[in-house]
Amino acid sequence: MPSQNTTGFSPARGSPAFREMEPKDQQMPANALLASCPQVALRIRPLSEAELEEGATIIAHKLGDQAIVLMDPGEDPEDTLRAHRSRERTFIFDMVFDQHSSQEDVYSATIQHLVEGVISGYNATVFAYGPSGAGKTHTMLGMDTEPGIYLRTLTDLFQAIEETRDNMDYSVSMSYLEIYNEVIRDLLNPSSGFLDLREDSRGNIQIAGITEVSTLNAQEIMQLLTRGNRQRTQEPTATNKTSSRSHAVLQVTVRQRWRGPDLAEEVHLGRLFMVDLAGSERASQTQNRGKRMKEGAHINRSLLALGNCINALSEKGGRGQYVNFRDSKLTRLLKDALGGNSHTVMIAHISPASSSFEESRTTLLYAYRAKNIKTRVKRNLLNVSYRIAQYTDVISELRREIEHLKSKIEKQEKNKSGPGIPDVQVTVPPNDAEDESHLQMNKIRAQLIRAFKEQMEMRHSLVELENTNLELHVDLSRHLLTIADWEREKSDLHMQREQDELEKEEELAETDGEDAPTEPQEVAVAREEVNLLLAEHRKTSALKAGLEQRLALAKQKASQMETLLPTQVTSEDQREVLRLLCRAHELEVENTELRADNLCRKTLLCQKDLVIQHCRQHQRLCEQLIRGQRQLMHDSGIQVPEALERQYQLYFRELGEDTLDRLLLLHSGMASSLQDASVLNISSLPEASQAQHKDKKNLPWGLQSELLPLLLERDSDGNKSLKATASRKPGRQDSLLPPPPLRTRLTPPMLELNPPAALSVQARKEMALGTKSIARIAASRRSKAQDRDSSSSRSSRHLEEAALDSKDQKPNPSPAEKRWLPASPSRDRSVERKARRKRSPSVTCGVQLMTEKPPLSVEHFTESQLSLGHLQPSKSSGKSFFPAVPTASKTKPNLSFHTEEATLHVPEVSFTFPSPTWQSSAGSSRAPLLPRDIRGSADSGGQHHSPLPPSNPRGRQGGSAKRPQRPR
Ligand SMILES: Nc1ncnc2c1ncn2[C@@H]1O[C@H](COP(=O)(O)OP(=O)(O)OP(=O)(O)O)[C@@H](O)[C@H]1O
């Protein structure tokens, strides 16, 4: 045990002072990694007056220091039938506090021990979680008479600093912000507007432009906090008179500089996050409307994202599982606290009232889950023995110079003392000229270093801005997809109504007056966010343009210096030094480029999935249009030209053969393997991203930026609408009836297109069995052939196999997968649209293709109050649908970040997609054709596979059959 020092303060574990006292064999490396689990505490507040008035009883009881029993208020002890279905449950946490626990009890048991860690360079995070009105703000901020965790922590922090001041230099700064409706506001300087959250090239999250106050006085900080808290968005709701409608984050940064007796110096940077989360809420309980409801949706959405991260991280310790921190600002900000380098304490809060049973249960499950997270905590050591390192460099440089001079002198001596020539005393030339050149050299070197440093800073900032822009694009794409989805749904509804009118003409008057479908809340939110994101994008682009100009100037200056240098430097040694300096700079630039590439690749992969989704959306629209037009032609008795009919056949044959689906499957498989590859630093990037990035004016979803105003134009209902996707009001005949048999000049049976029938479960199973054995045979043949083939052709075949395997091994579509099949009915669309918003773009493909459960929506979350069962990701989600998709062989790694132009060039990649070798369609009476082998088994089931959408957009059973025949 370390002995107590004279100040009485036991130095923080791991601090230099502590290590000095520690026996040598027990000393830890300065920045050793420590595995850590978050501590999860639970606090039960007293019953409130309102709860007492409504006659609520206490159902949450503390058992000992760590257990809590939550009783089911709906349980009837005399109902023996329901006895085994009781929802009563006991939970164990690290600490449990009830109504008798004081603020001091909570603080000393949960946070106090973190203070010394923060001082010595560790990160720590405390967050208060729980439903609205459960007591989070009370715990964090407290009252004047009973201060909460904020003040207690800061007081202890400053006291500890005061006690070790003799050996250390400290600087403490703090910032206080809120995340309200997914925008960040500086609570210490609210007039600064919305702030940007950025990730620097080292992956650190930063908030651009946040006010950082430096102080060493807890009272001063408390005053600032109280002032900041007045700026925090608080509104009365049905559950809490002073409900916080935002997440508040107090960040305290402690920089500790340790001055040793020699020249050694260590700088530690500890960060403490204290987060008062907004309360989760059920829309039904809060009875919120309008603005409050929108706030609630935002709060729930970010808490859902937090819950998803907790789930992903707690699955097998988060190893190997993709954790999507990007779904909300809150999770991005807490990235380190949750899954990285931080000691974390979560204090869950519940009300003991019987009326809050559901909320309490969900909160307990949520908190319980968080216990499984594993973090790896590391001390942030900024600078170890910086001065010593500096001097060591100088000394070794001098040594080298001495050696060099010695050998020179020896050489000269040898030359001069040749045979027959008497020894000559070597005289050292006068030093004046050397000194002057040395001074000159130092000056040049300093100038060059300054210029390089300046350039590097600008390059780093450019990378950050570029990354921010890409992230904005991804967000924008997601919101635009949500809007486009809704527009499509709206257009389907219009179409459906018109059909209904046809069917029941006598009821026309009734349906005529029907209102336009009301726009869902998330679409309105998406529209708002699109505007915000566009404004942000403009700001960032302007900043970037300015920075690029400055970088160009700096480069110009540096190149002028480069031309001047050879004339000023005379000695070979000096040249060598300068050459090394330039080389070091080059390497640094390369390093930045690689980091930028990596960041860019990750973001583009996310974006690419959205582009694919957009393509799918557009494809469906095209299908609907083609069907409608064919119906119209048929109804009007228009003869279809042969060439057009052939094209039509080809179009549906391609759909039948799933060519597009297969490409998209392959594409998403490539994306996920690329994502893995990025960890291994394999250079490759799909071509879609290249296409997007080539033209910077292009919006990420593949539309020209000029289209945006069009997209957001207001329609006749006064709503902003996506004209590009669904502006055309469908005509009467432009319905989604099955394509009628057309009168053409070709033989009628060949062209008759029947409505596509869905495969039965049995047929799908048979297909899967059949294709599995085909896949096995093919696999054994392939492995033989691969042995013979050269390595290059081997890799190209792999790619084709991946596509075939993925197709062949495709199981019966799960509910999530079904949405990817072109036949997805429109009734699924709203769920799809909502779900997409909650998923990370990059996970979307994986989740949709690989999981069995459809993802959650905000509404779902609101209703079920974060029920654990819903939040838990499917076990299969981590498994790749493409077991062996090769990437490197077929891709042209051409990742280049041309810093000369200070622009990010997206890599060029070329894929060779496998050409499907299905049987020709000739002679078939069905439009969508199956592969020969598959067709056999499908036919045996009496069903026909078709990827075409069902004839009825609402997916009504037998809708098309019921429809009256139109006059022809
Ligand atoms: N442990 C406690 N002891 C006494 N009063 C408490 C306690 N916890 C909460 N309260 C009281 O309950 C009310 C609601 O608490 P608080 O505002 O802290 O809830 P919250 O979880 O922050 O709610 P929201 O998420 O809506 O902001 C307050 O009046 C607070 O003083």
Side-chain angles (χ1 to χ4, degrees):
M1 281 291 289
S3 60
Q4 201 79 344
N5 63 9
T6 45
T7 59
F9 173 73
S10 172
R13 170 162 274 279
S15 71
F18 182 92
R19 270 187 280 130
E20 265 185 7
M21 292 190 265
E22 230 178 358
K24 280 277 175 240
D25 55 342
Q26 287 174 23
Q27 281 184 15
M28 274 199 308
N31 52 353
L33 274 174
L34 302 174
S36 160
C37 294
Q39 272 191 310
V40 181
L42 178 81
R43 186 171 195 187
I44 313 166
R45 70 157 162 76
L47 268 182
S48 69
E49 275 175 23
E51 286 164 341
L52 280 170
E53 269 170 30
E54 66 185 24
T57 53
I58 293 185
I59 54 158
H61 299 277
K62 179 183 164 193
L63 283 184
D65 285 344
Q66 292 187 307
I68 171 199
V69 184
L70 186 72
M71 284 152 58
D72 183 353
E75 199 179 306
D76 179 0
E78 287 173 14
D79 186 352
T80 43
L81 284 176
R82 283 181 53 87
H84 62 286
R85 280 195 250 151
S86 166
R87 290 193 293 166
E88 178 179 315
R89 211 177 140 176
T90 306
F91 294 87
I92 309 282
F93 292 103
D94 294 305
M95 288 141 278
V96 173
F97 307 98
D98 63 5
Q99 56 272 37
H100 307 298
S101 310
S102 67
Q103 299 278 63
E104 174 60 29
D105 295 340
V106 176
Y107 169 72
S108 56
T110 55
I111 322 294
Q112 197 167 28
H113 68 280
L114 295 180
V115 171
E116 60 178 36
V118 173
I119 293 174
S120 51
Y122 289 95
N123 295 342
T125 307
V126 186
F127 60 92
Y129 172 79
S132 188
K136 299 177 294 296
T137 311
H138 179 81
T139 301
M140 298 307 279
L141 191 71
M143 292 169 295
D144 289 344
T145 47
E146 258 196 297
I149 281 169
Y150 287 159
L151 184 67
R152 288 172 196 274
T153 313
L154 292 168
T155 312
D156 274 4
L157 192 90
F158 291 131
Q159 197 180 335
I161 285 175
E162 204 48 52
E163 284 165 357
T164 49
R165 253 176 190 286
D166 292 349
N167 290 342
M168 318 275 183
D169 278 344
Y170 287 101
S171 67
V172 180
S173 62
M174 66 154 265
S175 60
Y176 193 34
L177 61 91
E178 73 166 355
I179 307 176
Y180 172 68
N181 283 356
E182 274 306 278
V183 291
I184 299 178
R185 281 178 63 220
D186 187 348
L187 289 175
L188 297 183
N189 181 15
S191 58
S192 58
F194 302 149
L195 303 181
D196 280 344
L197 201 136
R198 290 187 189 151
E199 197 169 332
D200 69 12
S201 48
R202 288 170 206 85
N204 300 322
I205 300 290
Q206 285 170 348
I207 292 148
I210 187 106
T211 312
E212 293 242 9
V213 181
S214 294
T215 176
L216 278 179
N217 182 331
Q219 287 309 325
E220 202 179 309
I221 285 203
M222 208 49 214
Q223 277 167 11
L224 286 168
L225 271 182
T226 320
R227 211 176 65 202
N229 233 48
R230 277 199 289 270
Q231 304 293 334
R232 194 176 167 194
T233 317
Q234 277 183 346
E235 301 287 347
T237 64
T239 42
N240 187 1
K241 277 183 206 139
T242 51
S243 179
S244 315
R245 312 302 292 160
S246 64
H247 309 298
V249 182
L250 170 68
Q251 186 187 341
V252 183
T253 308
V254 181
R255 191 182 278 263
Q256 179 205 58
R257 183 176 280 119
W258 180 67
R259 299 181 305 265
D262 50 12
L263 292 163
E265 181 180 88
E266 283 189 15
V267 179
H268 297 144
L269 191 82
R271 278 203 192 94
L272 173 65
F273 280 103
M274 291 188 266
V275 188
D276 179 6
L277 294 172
S280 57
E281 59 189 45
R282 266 199 304 183
S284 56
Q285 218 209 7
T286 51
Q287 298 136 29
N288 286 342
R289 294 281 168 276
K291 194 177 166 199
R292 289 292 86 75
M293 197 161 151
K294 187 177 144 191
E295 285 166 358
H298 275 294
I299 293 170
N300 283 347
R301 196 172 123 190
S302 52
L303 290 175
L304 174 66
L306 182 65
N308 285 339
C309 287
I310 289 177
N311 280 341
L313 286 162
S314 55
E315 285 270 323
K316 291 179 200 155
R319 272 187 300 271
Q321 171 129 7
Y322 175 74
V323 184
N324 176 28
F325 290 105
R326 287 175 175 255
D327 246 11
S328 76
K329 296 243 162 78
L330 177 70
T331 44
R332 285 180 66 192
L333 196 67
L334 295 182
K335 189 174 151 195
D336 246 359
L338 292 170
N341 174 20
S342 180
H343 288 290
T344 304
V345 176
M346 175 182 185
I347 308 178
H349 293 77
I350 58 168
S351 146
S354 48
S355 50
S356 303
F357 171 73
E358 284 301 339
E359 287 81 1
S360 303
R361 193 171 158 272
T362 323
T363 306
L364 290 171
L365 289 167
Y366 194 104
Y368 195 69
R369 189 92 178 132
K371 278 177 47 162
N372 296 328
I373 298 178
K374 292 261 179 309
T375 55
R376 297 186 76 74
V377 191
K378 192 180 89 179
R379 186 177 337 179
N380 306 315
L381 199 58
L382 281 192
N383 223 339
V384 183
S385 306
Y386 175 70
R387 270 183 278 163
I388 283 197
Q390 243 185 354
Y391 285 114
T392 319
D393 278 355
V394 173
I395 291 165
S396 55
E397 203 177 303
L398 288 173
R399 278 213 182 105
R400 268 199 305 276
E401 213 166 319
I402 290 167
E403 289 302 318
H404 184 70
L405 288 173
K406 264 187 188 168
S407 69
K408 242 180 171 177
I409 292 167
E410 271 171 24
K411 251 191 218 166
Q412 278 177 359
E413 276 177 353
K414 266 186 200 160
N415 287 344
K416 285 179 183 171
S417 58
I421 299 171
D423 273 34
V424 181
Q425 191 72 36
V426 178
T427 49
V428 181
N431 267 346
D432 283 359
E434 245 180 46
D435 282 353
E436 206 174 303
S437 95
H438 204 77
L439 277 177
Q440 179 71 2
M441 170 69 197
N442 281 350
K443 214 170 121 191
I444 293 170
R445 200 164 70 162
Q447 272 178 2
L448 207 62
I449 289 175
R450 232 191 346 263
F452 285 160
K453 222 172 157 184
E454 199 186 353
Q455 267 192 45
M456 281 319 296
E457 271 164 21
M458 282 192 251
R459 278 176 208 273
H460 280 304
S461 305
L462 269 178
V463 172
E464 276 162 36
L465 288 175
E466 183 63 38
N467 191 42
T468 311
N469 259 349
L470 286 172
E471 281 176 10
L472 290 174
H473 274 169
V474 174
D475 277 357
L476 199 57
S477 311
R478 204 162 23 161
H479 292 311
L480 283 167
L481 264 173
T482 308
I483 299 171
D485 261 352
W486 161 241
E487 292 299 336
R488 197 160 45 82
E489 203 178 310
K490 206 165 78 177
S491 134
D492 286 352
L493 279 171
H494 274 302
M495 226 184 273
Q496 186 61 42
R497 272 185 199 166
E498 285 186 19
Q499 274 181 25
D500 291 348
E501 281 170 23
L502 260 183
E503 283 172 13
K504 304 173 190 171
E505 274 182 3
E506 64 277 13
E507 290 169 20
L508 190 67
E510 279 175 42
T511 51
D512 217 21
E514 257 184 82
D515 293 336
T518 39
E519 193 170 81
Q521 194 197 350
E522 76 258 19
V523 179
V525 171
R527 287 185 203 284
E528 245 175 61
E529 294 203 356
V530 163
N531 287 336
L532 272 175
L533 289 169
L534 282 174
E536 278 302 309
H537 184 258
R538 272 194 294 274
K539 264 199 282 178
T540 324
S541 301
L543 262 174
K544 213 178 125 214
L547 204 59
E548 274 167 1
Q549 269 179 6
R550 275 172 49 209
L551 181 63
L553 276 176
K555 277 193 289 190
Q556 215 176 350
K557 233 166 68 183
S559 70
Q560 277 168 4
M561 275 169 76
E562 278 171 37
T563 44
L564 275 177
L565 280 179
T567 57
Q568 293 179 349
V569 178
T570 46
S571 111
E572 193 48 46
D573 291 346
Q574 290 177 349
R575 275 208 191 94
E576 185 65 35
V577 171
L578 290 177
R579 219 175 288 138
L580 281 174
L581 258 180
C582 294
R583 181 72 195 128
H585 177 64
E586 260 173 45
L587 287 173
E588 217 179 331
V589 171
E590 265 172 39
N591 199 13
T592 318
E593 284 173 9
L594 284 174
R595 279 197 184 130
D597 268 345
N598 215 10
L599 272 176
C600 172
R601 252 153 46 96
K602 277 184 194 160
T603 322
L604 285 174
L605 279 173
C606 295
Q607 204 178 27
K608 199 164 53 55
D609 290 346
L610 290 169
V611 175
I612 292 175
Q613 285 182 39
H614 188 87
C615 289
R616 279 200 166 271
Q617 212 179 48
H618 190 72
Q619 183 202 350
R620 270 185 228 146
L621 191 69
C622 290
E623 278 169 39
Q624 286 176 8
L625 277 175
I626 292 171
R627 280 171 188 283
Q629 282 168 354
R630 272 183 74 82
Q631 180 68 53
L632 189 65
M633 284 157 76
H634 172 262
D635 290 351
S636 329
I638 298 172
Q639 276 278 330
V640 180
E642 221 171 275
L644 184 62
E645 185 52 40
R646 273 210 197 90
Q647 278 180 344
Y648 183 72
Q649 277 191 37
L650 183 70
Y651 172 73
F652 276 102
R653 196 162 59 230
E654 283 210 342
L655 279 181
E657 285 166 358
D658 268 1
T659 314
L660 190 63
D661 267 359
R662 292 152 59 75
L663 286 181
L664 293 176
L665 271 169
L666 178 70
H667 203 64
S668 52
M670 298 286 277
S672 46
S673 56
L674 257 176
Q675 198 131 27
D676 295 343
S678 75
V679 179
L680 306 170
N681 239 348
I682 297 169
S683 298
S684 52
L685 195 83
E687 65 187 348
S689 349
Q690 167 208 1
Q692 288 159 30
H693 215 76
K694 254 183 187 165
D695 184 357
K696 294 233 163 188
K697 278 182 190 165
N698 275 1
L699 288 172
W701 57 98
L703 298 171
Q704 295 291 320
S705 52
E706 306 87 68
L707 273 180
L708 203 70
L710 261 182
L711 290 171
L712 298 167
E713 227 166 78
R714 285 184 179 275
D715 63 25
S716 54
D717 306 331
N719 296 324
K720 282 181 187 172
S721 64
L722 269 175
K723 296 254 169 170
T725 54
S727 60
R728 182 173 158 253
K729 196 172 165 67
R732 190 157 280 221
Q733 280 93 349
D734 196 7
S735 63
L736 294 177
L737 284 174
L742 284 188
R743 268 167 264 162
T744 67
R745 285 171 224 131
L746 294 179
T747 359
M750 191 171 158
L751 297 166
E752 209 166 286
L753 297 171
N754 287 346
L759 276 178
S760 71
V761 176
Q762 182 58 28
R764 281 198 210 113
K765 272 185 190 160
E766 281 172 22
M767 266 174 66
L769 276 176
T771 50
K772 252 185 202 163
S773 58
I774 299 165
R776 258 200 304 276
I777 296 166
S780 75
R781 281 186 196 152
R782 278 195 307 269
S783 67
K784 279 181 201 157
Q786 273 171 352
D787 289 341
R788 288 194 298 270
D789 276 4
S790 68
S791 58
S792 61
S793 63
R794 190 184 306 146
S795 53
S796 77
R797 204 174 297 110
H798 251 306
L799 200 64
E800 294 176 11
E801 284 159 21
L804 286 172
D805 286 351
S806 67
K807 171 71 190 168
D808 294 347
Q809 290 164 13
K810 196 173 174 181
N812 287 343
S814 64
E817 269 182 71
K818 275 183 196 157
R819 293 183 297 102
W820 273 92
L821 297 175
S824 64
S826 73
R827 75 192 135 108
D828 288 346
R829 280 178 201 144
S830 85
V831 178
E832 185 185 330
R833 169 164 47 76
K834 287 163 193 162
R836 183 183 303 126
R837 294 179 58 242
K838 316 301 166 295
R839 290 190 303 268
S840 137
S842 58
V843 187
T844 312
C845 275
V847 172
Q848 284 181 335
L849 289 168
M850 298 163 201
T851 59
E852 289 180 354
K853 285 183 199 164
L856 284 172
S857 66
V858 164
E859 284 65 30
H860 193 161
F861 168 67
T862 310
E863 285 310 315
S864 62
Q865 284 290 287
L866 284 164
S867 141
L868 186 76
H870 293 121
L871 287 175
Q872 198 165 336
S874 162
K875 286 235 159 44
S876 59
S877 62
K879 285 177 194 148
S880 171
F881 205 66
F882 288 80
V885 181
T887 51
S889 58
K890 287 271 168 182
T891 55
K892 249 198 277 169
N894 186 15
L895 294 171
S896 61
F897 174 78
H898 291 287
T899 42
E900 283 311 303
E901 286 81 39
T903 52
L904 281 157
H905 286 281
V906 175
E908 272 180 36
V909 178
S910 68
F911 291 134
T912 313
F913 290 110
S915 52
T917 51
W918 305 136
Q919 197 193 21
S920 146
S921 69
S924 166
S925 62
R926 310 266 177 213
L929 289 173
L930 296 171
R932 194 188 333 208
D933 304 321
I934 299 175
R935 211 173 42 219
S937 56
D939 286 347
S940 67
Q943 300 282 341
H944 297 278
H945 166 81
S946 169
L948 303 179
S951 51
N952 186 339
R954 285 199 159 163
R956 280 194 204 154
Q957 290 249 318
S960 59
K962 280 188 207 155
R963 235 166 254 132
Q965 287 292 310
R966 284 150 201 249
R968 289 185 183 165

